[in-house]
Amino acid sequence: GTYTFKVRASNDNKVWYDAENEITILIAIPFYGTWWFKILGLILASGLIWYVIGYYQKKQQKQREELETELVINYFATQIKSRYKTNELLWDFDKNLISKIGFEECMIYLWNDDKTELMQKAGYGSKGSMETIINRAEYNIPRGKGIVGAAVESKQNLLVNDTSKDKRYFTVDNKITLSELCVPLIHDNEVLGAINIEQHQKNYFTQKHLKMLSTIAVLCATQV
């Protein structure tokens, strides 16, 4: 604040005289008492709280995703033990990939006898089973064609966030989907087929989906 320093003088402690001049002293507010410092401190404190909350929310979300992945994989591992016929196994896998994970479209392909085409052996969509298109030649994928063909030929997982920008994408039923994830079925370094899932919105699939589907594909290929 502002203070005024004044002087009075006396020789005998009886008669006092006031000095003609005075000194005004201004004591500045310390930086930690200024309004801008308080506002900055409030912003920093709010930011720290937001960061801590966000950190723990992400941690909890990751833990939930890991638990969800573990539960789904455990389910499929258990189902393998009770499925001895390939077609029954594939249909069960396909149906549960839709119901348990929430994918819109899911198809499982296996090679034909001479490995020139990938045949649809099981399929489920958002409206249920796709049995009417299974084993129809026009729905088979020629070797090396499309995202499925590319994944099988390269023996690599393929995650496409926007199929409209991928020249490999094609559709046999005129239904356009913008996200696609294809994982080959590989056993003893031999490609048996592929699991292919699709969603209508862009950038749908995450590394969580890729990790989950890769593990399920290993389980499926081993049983096939």
Side-chain angles (χ1 to χ4, degrees):
T2 301
Y3 299 86
T4 302
F5 181 74
K6 299 181 178 180
V7 176
R8 301 181 75 195
S10 174
N11 289 328
D12 55 9
N13 287 332
K14 293 179 180 180
V15 180
W16 290 87
Y17 300 93
D18 291 332
E20 294 182 358
N21 56 352
E22 58 188 34
I23 299 175
T24 300
I25 300 173
L26 176 63
I27 300 179
I29 300 175
F31 73 93
Y32 49 81
T34 58
W35 63 267
W36 60 265
F37 183 84
K38 292 178 180 178
I39 293 177
L40 180 61
L42 182 62
I43 293 173
L44 291 175
S46 300
L48 179 60
I49 293 172
W50 177 84
Y51 173 80
V52 171
I53 292 174
Y55 171 79
Y56 281 103
Q57 285 179 338
K58 288 180 179 179
K59 187 176 181 179
Q60 291 176 345
Q61 177 65 22
K62 184 178 180 180
Q63 290 174 340
R64 286 195 296 268
E65 290 179 355
E66 289 176 349
L67 178 60
E68 176 188 351
T69 300
E70 183 178 348
L71 291 174
V72 171
I73 290 173
N74 287 342
Y75 170 82
F76 283 102
T78 303
Q79 287 299 102
I80 280 181
K81 297 178 181 179
S82 61
R83 298 288 186 269
Y84 298 100
K85 294 182 179 180
T86 298
N87 286 339
E88 183 183 359
L89 171 71
L90 297 181
W91 276 106
D92 184 75
F93 265 51
D94 215 330
K95 176 179 67 177
N96 284 287
L97 281 170
I98 292 291
S99 64
K100 292 188 176 297
I101 308 179
F103 298 142
E104 290 180 356
E105 309 282 346
C106 180
M107 305 297 295
I108 299 182
Y109 297 88
L110 294 180
W111 282 120
N112 62 355
D113 292 337
D114 58 2
K115 294 188 176 181
T116 57
E117 290 184 324
L118 289 162
M119 300 184 298
Q120 293 180 358
K121 288 297 185 179
Y124 269 88
S126 54
K127 296 183 180 180
S129 174
M130 300 178 186
E131 291 184 74
T132 56
I133 68 173
I134 301 302
N135 295 325
R136 287 173 55 180
E138 64 267 30
Y139 287 94
N140 292 346
I141 299 178
R143 182 163 192 156
K145 185 174 182 180
I147 293 172
V148 175
V152 169
E153 288 297 295
S154 65
K155 297 183 180 181
Q156 298 290 325
N157 302 329
L158 283 182
L159 193 162
V160 179
N161 290 315
D162 186 357
T163 58
S164 65
K165 297 179 180 179
D166 195 309
K167 295 181 180 179
R168 297 170 297 185
Y169 179 77
F170 84 103
T171 177
V172 295
D173 54 8
N174 296 319
K175 290 193 300 183
I176 304 298
T177 54
L178 294 174
S179 292
E180 186 167 351
L181 174 59
C182 186
V183 177
L185 299 175
I186 303 175
H187 183 67
D188 287 342
N189 204 37
E190 178 186 359
V191 180
L192 309 176
I195 300 177
N196 190 63
I197 54 177
E198 300 178 358
Q199 295 285 134
H200 285 84
Q201 63 267 46
K202 297 178 183 178
N203 302 305
Y204 178 83
F205 298 117
T206 65
Q207 291 301 310
K208 180 195 77 170
H209 295 127
L210 179 58
K211 179 181 178 181
M212 184 185 299
L213 199 64
S214 297
T215 304
I216 292 172
V218 171
L219 298 172
C220 184
T222 300
Q223 184 69 2
V224 171

